């Protein structure tokens, strides 16, 4: 009977594992299964006018740590994040708009107001491989609809180069948010939904002419606004206010054009950056796994070989034990070599981020500059309209225009 | 000065300031439109995945999934519709000053004014290469609730597109 010494079997297994690790480790391809797509629910019939709430997606919070060391540790490139905080709301806007479930959907500045529903977001993670967003949805009356974290992995099909109509790799995340937003709207009592438009109008009016309009709104203990009564449509102040509001929409539209233009400029380089970043992250992860495997297996083989060599008396087993020690040392060393490969990937990621950051920074500066400039001149115009509304009110009522100011619509 | 005179005086100032504001918005939107056109020309229409192209239909994919992203008939972010109306709720720019309004084209009409998501006829192209006039026609058609008038607008759109090709 041909019996094998237990120590020899162990050494054989270790050698096989070590060799397999060494041979196969370098050529494993990390294939990702096709990701199941989540569709955003679209309107299949005409949505009632009073259900078509206007949605404002505010620029996201880029969530950049102040400490540079922390930025580096988390691999956050500030200018990339700043760009993403403007780009992602556009994608969400497009998603919401494409469903046909909403009225106007606009991207707003961080302090933007004037809509009926507001989406605020915070970027937790975004590296091309994974996207994590904290999303808060509220309405103009002051209710919070939902507060959730969304996390998704990249659909790598979006990174394929030959695609006639590329999708965003994180489309599932945006579609899920859109579906949850819709569900939240549906869960809301109809009467509350229908009052949002009036509340929005009155909050806008109260912001511009509080002496004339603040009495039309009531605020409960939770800070939620309700309509106490409605002003007469024939009121001259109401009529002028409506014309001011139309300009407010035009301003929002123009700001939105800036963001859309920015998004258009950024789309291509951003997709490229995410694609390469994804590849480097995957390569780095794989190198880390391999390094660890080789070092562990190498160490085990060395120890096993030494133990087996000490226990065996046969020359064949002794030779095998020696081979295991040598193989283990080789595997351990190749594990160390892999560490060098990891460094290369890490450096590549940094270079990619720096390069994209340099590319996108002027775009961010440009869109921010234009936005501020337009908002600045609009504010001057609004100040004049406030004054005219005041004069008109005093002329119409013969009363002095004095009243406390209300919080701008969209802000509690 | 009577109350009526005073009101008329205030209204004149309103009209003047509205006109200035509207002109500023119109110029801004025109600039953005030109920039987009220049970028489109420079990059062969740019990236199809860029924000603002959400209205684009979807080709589905090879995995047999349904075309879940069918065209909702929207024209988001396709540039301004100069001469269009301020967005808001699809309200006309109104006012007696003939102001330009503007950004109605930003989000595209979509579901406004009763035009449901299926309001775009099947033979209408996606509108990505629309110029400003075509965009105005498209928007007007999408916002139009009267079916007959809507069809006339779409016909205008078709004719215009033909004439520009």
């Amino acid at each position: 009977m041909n019996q094998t010494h237990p120590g020899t079997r162990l050494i054989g297994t270790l050698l096989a594992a070590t060799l397999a690790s060494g041979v196969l480790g370098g050529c494993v391809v990390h294939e990702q299964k096709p990701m199941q797509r989540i569709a955003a629910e679209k309107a299949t019939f005409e949505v009632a006018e009073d259900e078509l709430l206007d949605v404002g997606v505010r620029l996201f919070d880029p969530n950049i740590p102040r400490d540079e060391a922390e930025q580096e540790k988390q691999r956050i490139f500030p200018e990339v994040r700043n760009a993403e905080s403007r780009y992602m709301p556009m994608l969400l806007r497009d998603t919401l708009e494409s469903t046909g479930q909403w009225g106007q959907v606009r991207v707003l500045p961080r302090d933007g107001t004037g809509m009926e529903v507001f989406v605020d977001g915070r970027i937790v993670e975004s590296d091309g491989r994974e996207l994590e967003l904290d999303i808060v949805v509220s309405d103009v009356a002051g209710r919070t609809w939902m507060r959730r974290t969304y996390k998704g992995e990249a659909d790598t099909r979006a990174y394929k180069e030959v695609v006639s109509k590329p999708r965003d790799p994180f489309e599932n995340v945006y579609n899920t948010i859109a579906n949850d937003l819709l569900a939240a709207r549906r869960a809301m009592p109809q009467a509350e939904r229908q009052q949002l438009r009036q509340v929005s109008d009155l909050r806008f009016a109260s912001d511009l002419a509080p002496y004339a309009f603040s009495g039309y709104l009531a605020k409960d203990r939770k800070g939620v606004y309700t309509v106490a009564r409605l002003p007469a449509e024939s009121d001259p102040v109401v009529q002028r206010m409506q014309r001011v509001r139309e300009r407010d929409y035009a301003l929002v539209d123009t700001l939105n054009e800036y963001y859309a233009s920015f998004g258009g400029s950024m789309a291509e380089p951003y997709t490229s950056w995410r694609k390469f970043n994804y590849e480097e992250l995957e390569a780095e992860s794989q190198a880390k796994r391999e390094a660890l495997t080789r070092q562990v297996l190498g160490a085990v083989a060395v120890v096993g070989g030494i133990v087996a060599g000490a226990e065996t008396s046969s020359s064949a087993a002794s030779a095998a034990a020696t081979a295991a020690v040598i193989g283990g040392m080789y595997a351990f060393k190749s594990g160390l070599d892999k560490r060098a490969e990891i460094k290369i990937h890490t450096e590549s990621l940094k270079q990619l981020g720096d390069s994209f950051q340099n590319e996108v920074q002027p775009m961010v500066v440009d869109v921010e500059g234009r936005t501020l400039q337009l908002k600045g001149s609009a504010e001057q115009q609004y100040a004049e309209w406030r004054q005219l509304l005041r004069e008109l009110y005093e002329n119409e009522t013969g009363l002095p225009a004095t009243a406390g100011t209300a919080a701008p619509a969209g802000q509690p | 000065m009577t109350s009526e005179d005073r009101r008329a005086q205030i209204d004149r100032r309103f009209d003047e300031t509205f006109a200035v504001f509207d002109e500023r918005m119109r110029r801004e939107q025109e600039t953005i439109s030109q920039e987009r056109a220049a970028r489109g020309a420079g990059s062969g229409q740019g990236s199809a995945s860029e924000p603002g192209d959400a209205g684009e239909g979807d080709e589905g994919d090879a995995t047999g999934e349904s075309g879940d992203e069918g065209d909702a008939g929207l024209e988001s972010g396709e540039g301004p519709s100069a001469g269009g109306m301020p967005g808001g709720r699809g309200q006309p720019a109104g006012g007696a000053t003939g102001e330009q309004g503007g950004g109605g084209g930003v989000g595209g009409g979509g579901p406004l004014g009763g035009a449901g998501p299926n309001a775009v006829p099947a033979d209408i192209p996606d509108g990505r290469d629309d110029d400003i006039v075509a965009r105005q026609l498209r928007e007007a058609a999408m916002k139009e609730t009267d079916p007959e008038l809507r069809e006339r607008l779409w016909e205008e759109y078709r004719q215009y597109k033909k004439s520009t090709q």
Side-chain angles (χ1 to χ4, degrees), chain A residues 22-90:
Chain A
V23 172
L24 297 177
C27 60
V28 169
V29 177
H30 188 70
E31 277 291 344
Q32 199 174 37
K33 288 179 187 171
M35 187 174 284
Q36 185 159 6
R37 284 182 179 154
I38 297 167
E41 186 182 334
K42 303 203 171 192
T44 52
F45 54 87
E46 196 173 310
V47 180
E49 171 67 18
D50 56 9
E51 298 282 345
L52 288 173
L53 301 175
D54 292 342
V55 183
V57 184
R58 292 187 179 118
L59 297 187
F60 287 176
D61 174 0
N63 190 23
I64 303 166
R66 286 191 179 184
D67 183 14
E68 281 187 27
E70 191 58 29
Q71 290 172 12
E72 199 162 330
K73 187 180 162 194
Q74 294 184 38
R75 287 179 172 163
I76 291 173
F77 298 90
E79 291 309 324
V80 174
R81 272 291 175 89
N82 279 326
E84 288 177 312
S85 71
R86 288 161 178 78
Y87 183 85
M88 291 172 182
M90 283 304 300

Side-chain angles (χ1 to χ4, degrees), chain A residues 88 125-126 129-133 150-152 170 173-174:
Chain A
M88 291 172 182
E125 178 70 68
S126 174
R129 185 164 65 170
E130 191 178 289
L131 175 65
E132 186 174 345
L133 299 173
Y150 293 86
K151 195 171 179 177
F170 301 100
V173 170
Y174 297 103

Side-chain angles (χ1 to χ4, degrees), chain A residues 19-319:
Chain A
L19 289 171
S21 158
V23 172
L24 297 177
C27 60
V28 169
V29 177
H30 188 70
E31 277 291 344
Q32 199 174 37
K33 288 179 187 171
M35 187 174 284
Q36 185 159 6
R37 284 182 179 154
I38 297 167
E41 186 182 334
K42 303 203 171 192
T44 52
F45 54 87
E46 196 173 310
V47 180
E49 171 67 18
D50 56 9
E51 298 282 345
L52 288 173
L53 301 175
D54 292 342
V55 183
V57 184
R58 292 187 179 118
L59 297 187
F60 287 176
D61 174 0
N63 190 23
I64 303 166
R66 286 191 179 184
D67 183 14
E68 281 187 27
E70 191 58 29
Q71 290 172 12
E72 199 162 330
K73 187 180 162 194
Q74 294 184 38
R75 287 179 172 163
I76 291 173
F77 298 90
E79 291 309 324
V80 174
R81 272 291 175 89
N82 279 326
E84 288 177 312
S85 71
R86 288 161 178 78
Y87 183 85
M88 291 172 182
M90 283 304 300
L91 291 181
L92 183 56
R93 184 206 79 153
D94 288 351
T95 304
L96 291 170
E97 199 171 59
S98 72
T99 65
Q101 304 276 14
W102 304 92
Q104 300 287 328
V105 187
R106 295 286 184 266
V107 171
L108 304 174
R110 288 288 292 282
D111 57 353
T113 57
M115 311 302 267
E116 284 134 23
V117 181
F118 299 95
V119 181
D120 290 284
R122 180 170 168 269
I123 304 169
V124 180
E125 178 70 68
S126 174
D127 58 10
R129 185 164 65 170
E130 191 178 289
L131 175 65
E132 186 174 345
L133 299 173
D134 285 340
I135 297 290
V136 179
V137 180
S138 57
D139 65 33
V140 70
R143 296 180 199 88
T144 300
W145 286 20
M146 63 183 208
R147 189 184 292 271
R148 290 181 197 161
T149 298
Y150 293 86
K151 195 171 179 177
E153 288 180 8
D155 183 345
T156 51
R157 282 173 293 191
Y159 293 143
K160 286 179 186 166
E161 289 192 13
V162 187
V163 181
S164 59
K165 168 76 180 152
R167 292 165 182 263
D168 189 85
F170 301 100
E171 199 174 76
N172 277 357
V173 170
Y174 297 103
N175 288 348
T176 305
I177 296 170
N179 289 342
D180 287 353
L181 190 54
L182 183 61
R185 188 191 74 188
R186 285 175 173 156
M188 195 176 178
Q190 192 179 26
E192 287 181 6
R193 283 199 303 259
Q194 289 172 340
Q195 216 183 56
L196 285 178
R197 188 160 295 176
Q198 291 169 337
V199 172
S200 177
D201 286 341
L202 288 171
R203 288 197 67 183
F204 178 82
S206 297
D207 179 41
L208 256 69
Y211 44 85
F213 290 97
S214 57
Y216 293 105
L217 283 171
K219 195 175 185 181
D220 70 14
R221 278 182 304 172
K222 291 179 181 172
V224 175
Y225 287 93
T226 50
V227 178
R229 59 198 172 93
L230 289 170
E233 290 284 328
S234 58
D235 184 333
V237 180
V238 172
Q239 289 170 353
R240 274 62 171 187
M241 182 64 77
Q242 283 167 351
R243 292 177 66 189
V244 173
R245 182 118 215 230
E246 284 160 12
R247 271 70 198 180
D248 193 60
Y249 288 133
L251 174 66
V252 168
D253 285 345
T254 307
L255 291 175
N256 217 77
E257 290 283 0
Y258 288 159
Y259 298 132
S261 180
F262 165 78
S265 304
M266 176 171 160
E268 215 169 299
Y270 183 49
T271 300
S272 296
W273 172 71
R274 287 189 296 181
K275 176 178 181 284
F276 291 124
N277 219 50
Y278 176 91
E279 287 169 0
E280 284 298 329
L281 284 167
E282 284 293 293
E284 185 195 52
S285 295
Q286 186 172 320
K288 278 180 180 171
R289 283 195 299 273
E290 285 172 13
L292 187 67
T293 306
R294 288 177 191 199
Q295 284 180 286
V296 169
L297 285 177
V300 170
V302 170
V303 172
I306 291 167
V307 171
E311 286 179 354
T312 187
S313 54
S314 84
S315 59
S318 179

